[in-house]
Amino acid sequence: AECGSASGVPLLVDGDLKMNESTAIEMYLSSIAPKFASLTPKQRAKDAQFCCLKETCLGAVAKPLFGGKDKEGIQAAWKKFLPVVEGILPKEGFVNGLDFPTVADLAIVNITMAYMPFGASLKPGEVDIEAEFPTLVAHAKRTMEVGEVGKAVSESTSMKAAFGGF
């Protein structure tokens, strides 16, 4: 509760800063990351947009997943939001047009690689993410080809972790 969260996750403690909420944490971390120091306000806004889209997708997928693994609800959530995300992704390179990924690109990796709730919804929803959303998957793979990103995902203990009976 000291971080502002009744549920306990996600949380960030950085010295005397204690906070919750994924997008707020993502925006804070990107603001202090040296590699992102030169991002323009427009690039930071684009990063925030993708983080918010990720959270919108997360909420849409989680509701039918946690509400009984409702196949039709899961499919509807994926089909409602992911085409929108695919429609604003670049065909090559990264979202902000730089030679390295930013938070926007990492949000796409999260949608395609995180088990909870995205990965956990694929089987009960009978969603073939690679066949149905090839632009999204290609973008995530391109982002993961960047050494630091691929390494972080492969070494993560939480990215593929399940909870709550999943």
Side-chain angles (χ1 to χ4, degrees), residues 22-41:
S22 297
T23 302
I25 292 168
E26 291 160 345
M27 294 297 92
Y28 170 70
L29 292 174
S30 71
S31 75
I32 63 170
K35 188 158 193 160
F36 300 150
S38 64
L39 293 182
T40 68

Side-chain angles (χ1 to χ4, degrees), residues 2-4 10-20 25 28-29 32:
E2 71 178 301
C3 292
L11 302 176
L12 173 76
V13 177
D14 184 21
D16 63 349
L17 175 65
K18 297 175 181 164
M19 62 188 301
N20 70 316
I25 292 168
Y28 170 70
L29 292 174
I32 63 170

Side-chain angles (χ1 to χ4, degrees), residues 48-119:
Q49 176 192 16
F50 274 81
C51 288
C52 290
L53 283 167
K54 171 188 54 80
E55 291 299 314
T56 298
C57 295
L58 186 150
V61 168
K63 184 175 181 180
L65 176 66
F66 297 133
K69 298 182 183 177
D70 171 29
K71 174 183 161 184
E72 289 77 23
I74 291 168
Q75 290 177 347
W78 279 92
K79 289 177 182 169
K80 180 177 182 179
F81 294 105
L82 275 295
V84 173
V85 175
E86 281 196 315
I88 59 175
L89 284 173
K91 297 296 179 217
E92 42 188 64
F94 303 110
V95 170
N96 278 312
L98 302 170
D99 61 354
F100 59 89
T102 63
V103 175
D105 306 290
L106 301 177
I108 301 305
V109 170
N110 190 295
I111 292 170
T112 60
M113 298 300 297
Y115 185 70
M116 294 305 293
F118 301 111

Side-chain angles (χ1 to χ4, degrees), residues 153-164:
V153 171
S154 69
E155 293 177 358
S156 173
T157 58
S158 60
M159 191 82 157
K160 304 268 185 195
F163 66 86

